[in-house]
């Protein structure tokens, strides 16, 4: 059975897409810790980050780094936190969370966003991503 993330990649479920490569996909978390909270995933459905082959792991981390730089360029924050937990969806995913204090990385603290806020946030991060070299 396909994970919810595989269904998003295939276009079977909607998302606020940031960008994608041949092997990775980035989209906004729909239950964000902060504005700009983004998920980066490999297109290959693997449950545990340690089960990714070395090349896929490096590609995911490099893709996540570029997306994080894009977030940092357009979302006011002290840092962009990386978190790989992987318990809630059986598909490797890197959380990129704009933070100003440690509590911003706490997954029990969530922000509410409207559809328009999601669309606008995805667009400014995507534009930033496309302008990075």
């Amino acid at each position: 059975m396909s994970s919810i993330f595989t269904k998003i990649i295939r276009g079977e479920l909607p998302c606020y897409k940031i960008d994608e490569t041949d092997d990775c996909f980035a989209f906004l978390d729909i239950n964000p810790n902060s504005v700009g909270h983004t998920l980066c995933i490999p297109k290959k459905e693997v449950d545990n980050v340690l089960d990714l082959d070395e090349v896929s792991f490096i590609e995911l981390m490099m893709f996540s780094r570029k997306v994080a730089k894009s977030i940092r360029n357009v979302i006011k924050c002290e840092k962009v936190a990386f978190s790989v937990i992987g318990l809630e969806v059986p598909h490797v995913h890197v959380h990129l969370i704009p933070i100003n204090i440690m509590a911003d990385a706490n997954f029990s603290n969530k922000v509410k966003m409207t559809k328009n806020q999601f669309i606008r946030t995805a667009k400014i991060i995507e534009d930033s991503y496309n302008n990075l070299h």
Side-chain angles (χ1 to χ4, degrees):
M1 179 190 252
S2 297
S3 77
I4 190 170
F5 293 161
T6 297
K7 291 176 181 179
I8 288 171
I9 293 165
R10 290 181 186 152
E12 296 168 10
L13 292 173
C15 73
Y16 298 100
K17 179 179 167 184
I18 303 297
D19 218 308
E20 68 181 301
T21 64
D22 290 342
D23 299 308
C24 298
F25 196 94
F27 56 99
L28 293 179
D29 190 311
I30 60 165
N31 194 22
N33 289 23
S34 61
V35 173
H37 182 166
T38 299
L39 299 176
C40 294
I41 61 175
K43 289 185 176 177
K44 183 187 318 181
E45 189 173 312
V46 175
D47 181 21
N48 190 312
V49 70
L50 299 177
D51 293 333
L52 285 173
D53 61 82
E54 189 172 298
V55 170
S56 297
F57 179 86
I58 292 168
E59 286 175 351
L60 177 61
M61 291 301 125
M62 294 303 292
F63 177 74
S64 298
R65 179 177 183 260
K66 185 174 179 184
V67 174
K69 285 183 169 192
S70 303
I71 293 168
R72 183 182 64 185
N73 286 344
V74 296
I75 302 293
K76 185 175 171 52
C77 61
E78 191 70 29
K79 305 234 180 201
V80 177
F82 281 59
S83 180
V84 180
I85 300 169
L87 295 175
E88 57 285 330
V89 177
H91 190 135
V92 174
H93 52 289
V94 177
H95 291 268
L96 302 177
I97 308 166
I99 62 171
N100 292 300
I101 58 173
M102 283 299 295
D104 294 338
N106 183 336
F107 284 86
S108 61
N109 297 331
K110 300 295 181 177
V111 297
K112 299 286 185 203
M113 294 175 61
T114 66
K115 180 177 181 177
N116 284 340
Q117 288 171 314
F118 275 112
I119 291 168
R120 187 177 71 246
T121 301
K123 178 70 173 136
I124 64 171
I125 297 170
E126 176 188 16
D127 289 347
S128 176
Y129 180 90
N130 289 331
N131 288 322
L132 285 179
H133 302 285

